[in-house]
Amino acid sequence: MAWHVWLFDGLTGVLDREINIGSFSWKVTVSDSSFDTAKDRNVGKDEFGGVSLPWEVFGNVTETERRDLIAPYRRGLCLMWEDNRKRLFPIVAGIISSLSEKRTEAQISLDSPLAVLSRRYMVHDNDFGTNPEHTAPGVFEYKGLSLRAIACRVIDVCTNRRKNGRLPLDLPYLRERGSHERTYKDNDIQNLSCADILKKIANVQDGVDMQFRPVYDESSRRIFWRFVAGDDVNKTISTTNTHYFINSQRLQTLQDITIDHSNHCNRIYSVGATPEDQELSTVAMVENMSMCESANPYIMTEACISDSETENYDLLRGHALNLLNVQARPLIQIKGSFNLSDISDATGEPVYNIGKIFAGERADVLIKNFPTIRERLFECRIMELSGNNSDTVNIVFDVMPDPFFE
């Protein structure tokens, strides 16, 4: 079992060479991922948020070859885990986005696919401003599609259908039918960054989770990203996979657990936009005082939110009510860690293979003998995975109601 770091070609995903970068840390979340490292973590260099590569890791190459190996927006870097059966699983991959050179090392930063797509726009590039009036009348209209199909169409326009726009991406939902529609007009290009469109699709009221997962194709020795998203019914990612963790006095596959608590909120004020020809903004207020009016009352708390683009009272109140429904009672969040070296006696497989656990998937967490919680099985969702060059993986689950108040 070991970690491996490979350079790859950013356009094709073909692996170039393996490099040894020593200490590193990594993180994968539901929405995005990051990868940072430092040659010497004891002096705080890991705060730079980039990757430090001593020149000797590239071997005996010329100056030109060395520069080409880490060319920004041409090369990429991939972190892969090799399990006990010599299978390679990519965990984090990114395109080199910036480069700072010293005599001893090169410091690079990585862009995720979402960051790369923030530099692409949803537009008919060959027709933009080419008519006699030098305007942009082009329109993309999508009807009868699922949200993730529309997302795939947008990515497809900004990559495969764009001159020199290719990226090593897999878009599996291009033809999936649904009930959604979207229109994108070329003359609104300042609001049509591909990444911004994806974020808006994810964040609408009935939006879906989205993620770019690195995949390794052993036959072609190639890295690519598969776009993964929830469907119109199950908004979250990978609802079919459930992982099991236990933390008790006698058995701990989930180790070092902490349970973080948040306070309740009893009243929310919502401030919207100012309608035309009026002096005052549209506002709404919602409240739930059950925590304060119980036999053993709690201190009342309030919050204020704003939406400068909304004039509609019902919409303002609806957003505030959704937030209040989540926060009216205290919440908890479970965190812990697991070990990649733990092997199942029955099959020889690892108890947990980081190459088969993804942020966004479901998890059942059994907690026993905890000081403030009766034995309980928590139905959770994995929100974040992170680690370093060791075999310990940190895991963060989603926020959920505090069982003490049930």
Side-chain angles (χ1 to χ4, degrees), residues 251-276:
L251 178 61
Q252 294 187 3
T253 62
L254 180 65
Q255 305 163 4
D256 303 319
I257 70 165
T258 61
I259 301 178
D260 296 333
H261 295 255
S262 73
N263 292 323
H264 58 281
C265 181
N266 305 110
R267 181 184 290 122
I268 295 179
Y269 304 98
S270 182
V271 181
T274 303
E276 190 175 352

Side-chain angles (χ1 to χ4, degrees), residues 72 81 165 188 240 313 326:
W81 172 252
D188 192 32
T240 58
Y313 169 78
V326 174

